[in-house]
Amino acid sequence: QVQLVESGGGLVQAGGSLRLSCAASGRTFATYAMGWFRQAPGKEREFVAAISRSGSTTDYANSVKGRFTISRDNAKNTVYLQMNSLKPEDTAVYYCAADSDRLRLLSIRGSQYDYWGQGTQVTVSS
């Protein structure tokens, strides 16, 4: 019903910046709260950031607060994750996800998201 495609990942030095994009197909992007999650090898998927349907409300994992910024452009069906001051521990595959439940402003629980992108690799070298 909706397809999500991440882009913008790559290799960056510690302290550098990277901007991830997640392009959504379909005409209902604005009805989804969106989130970013990441998964490092051998570790569980973890919440990174989320944004409400209008973009008025955001939430961040403590580990990225102050460094990462989630935003969305509903006219472009795109959600972004601006990552600054990157650290080696940020290395992971980053996934965007869509939450269709309009009763929630947003969610930090991956299990509450209905659609997922294929992920984009972010590698931060020290």
Side-chain angles (χ1 to χ4, degrees):
Q1 295 181 13
V2 61
Q3 296 180 19
L4 306 174
V5 180
E6 302 97 335
S7 62
L11 175 65
V12 64
Q13 288 185 309
S17 298
L18 210 57
R19 188 180 77 160
L20 305 183
S21 298
C22 176
S25 66
R27 302 167 63 183
T28 58
F29 178 73
T31 69
Y32 299 102
M34 300 295 296
W36 286 97
F37 295 78
R38 66 187 183 187
Q39 187 168 28
K43 297 184 178 180
E44 294 185 351
R45 181 181 62 197
E46 67 174 343
F47 167 76
V48 176
I51 189 166
S52 63
R53 290 156 180 82
S54 69
S56 62
T57 304
T58 59
D59 200 7
Y60 298 90
N62 287 335
S63 60
V64 308
K65 194 171 299 182
R67 300 188 298 120
F68 290 11
T69 302
I70 187 171
S71 61
R72 68 190 296 161
D73 186 339
N74 287 346
K76 296 182 178 179
N77 276 23
T78 303
V79 63
Y80 305 94
L81 185 67
Q82 178 66 47
M83 305 184 294
N84 298 327
S85 302
L86 282 162
K87 304 175 181 179
E89 50 263 47
D90 295 318
T91 295
V93 176
Y94 283 70
Y95 300 90
C96 68
D99 175 11
S100 64
D101 191 341
R102 303 183 75 168
L103 296 179
R104 291 189 289 266
L105 284 177
L106 51 79
S107 177
I108 66 172
R109 296 176 59 184
S111 62
Q112 293 186 319
Y113 286 80
D114 302 293
Y115 306 102
W116 294 81
Q118 65 180 2
T120 185
Q121 176 71 48
V122 172
T123 302
V124 184
S125 62
S126 60

